[in-house]
Amino acid sequence: MIIASNFKTNYTREKTKSFVCAVQAAIQEMKSMQEVRIFVPATALDSFHEVASLHVGAQNFYPVDNGSFTGEIGFEQLEEFGITTVLIGHSERRHILGETQEFLARKYDFAQAKNVEIVYCVGEPKEIREKGIDAVMSYIWEQFDGIDISYSRLVVAYEPVWAIGTGLTASIGDIEEVLERLAEKLSAPLLYGGSVKVDNLESILHVKHCEGVLVGTASWNEEAFCKMIAVADAVKKG
Ligand code: PGA
C-alpha cells in the first residue's frame, strides 16, 4: 500500500531531514512492506539517500524544465534532487491557489512526459456532497478532463474537500462508494485522504479498492506517521 504524508507549508529543511531520516530508520527496523511517500516543501527537497520504498516528493512545480517564471520551480530543479513523485490537483492548489483544470492537465502532461509517479487528487466540496453520489461523481469525473488515465504511473487520491484539515472524515460507506465508482473506470491505485489519523486508518485501509492514504495534519508527527506505517503493515487485504 501507499502511505503518503503531505507536509504542506510546514517544516524547515532541517526538521524535514530529521523527519525523513527517522521514518527511514523506522521502515528498516519494521521491515515494512509499505510504499512511503513524503511530500515536502520546495525548500526542503532532497534525495536524503532514500531507501527503496520511501520517496520524497514535490508538492508542486511549474510545467517547464526551466525559464522565466519568477517564484516557480521547474522540473530541472526537481531532477537535481532525483524527485520521482509529484502531487497534482490537491484541493488547496485548486481552490486556494486557483489552479484551473486546464492548467492541472498541462502539469499532468508535463509530469507524464517525464515519466514520474503522479499522485493526482480529486474530491468534491461540501455543497456537492449534499446533493448525493451522482452529483459527487459527475464533479469528480470533471476533474479528470484532459487527464490521461491510462498513464501507468498514475495514483489517484480521493480527498473530499470538506474532510481536508477539518477533522471530519468521510464515512466508510461514502469512501467505499466513491472508490467503487472510480475503480469501474480507473486501473490506477486508489488512495483516500481527508482527516486520516492513526485511529481511523485501519478501517479506511480495509475499504475495498483502497490501496493507501494521503495524510496531512496527522502525519506531521513522526511517531504518528511511523505508527500509520505499522498499522498498514498489520492490515491484510483479501
Ligand atoms: P488532512 O489533509 O489529513 O490534514 O485532512 C489531507 C491532505 O490535504 O492531503
Side-chain angles (χ1 to χ4, degrees), residues 6-140:
N6 176 6
F7 275 14
K8 308 191 180 185
T9 320
N10 297 290
Y11 289 157
T12 59
R13 184 172 188 79
E14 199 180 327
K15 172 67 192 167
T16 300
K17 185 175 181 196
S18 76
F19 186 105
V20 173
C21 292
V23 174
Q24 267 177 355
I27 288 177
Q28 282 173 319
E29 201 185 311
M30 293 187 258
K31 297 191 173 41
S32 174
M33 304 296 290
Q34 308 312 312
E35 284 293 323
V36 176
R37 305 286 181 265
I38 304 179
F39 292 95
V40 304
T43 51
L45 287 171
D46 206 324
S47 61
F48 297 110
H49 307 291
E50 293 173 351
V51 290
S53 60
L54 183 152
H55 293 290
V56 168
Q59 297 173 22
N60 189 37
F61 61 93
Y62 198 74
V64 291
D65 282 313
N66 53 47
S68 299
F69 303 95
T70 301
E72 295 294 327
I73 291 183
F75 241 80
E76 192 176 280
Q77 285 89 43
L78 300 189
E79 282 163 351
E80 183 177 15
F81 298 110
I83 297 303
T84 56
T85 180
V86 296
L87 277 184
I88 298 180
H90 190 279
S91 79
E92 285 150 15
R93 297 221 57 93
R94 290 179 190 268
H95 301 293
I96 303 176
L97 284 312
E99 291 188 358
T100 62
Q101 187 59 34
E102 193 249 322
F103 182 63
L104 292 169
R106 265 175 61 206
K107 289 174 79 173
Y108 187 96
D109 282 351
F110 197 87
Q112 180 175 359
K114 295 290 180 187
N115 201 34
V116 293
E117 177 182 79
I118 299 173
V119 179
Y120 185 69
C121 307
V122 297
E124 80 289 356
K126 195 162 190 298
E127 63 274 17
I128 301 291
R129 166 53 64 183
E130 282 162 357
K131 292 184 183 159
I133 184 68
D134 290 338
V136 168
M137 292 317 297
S138 61
Y139 187 93
I140 290 176

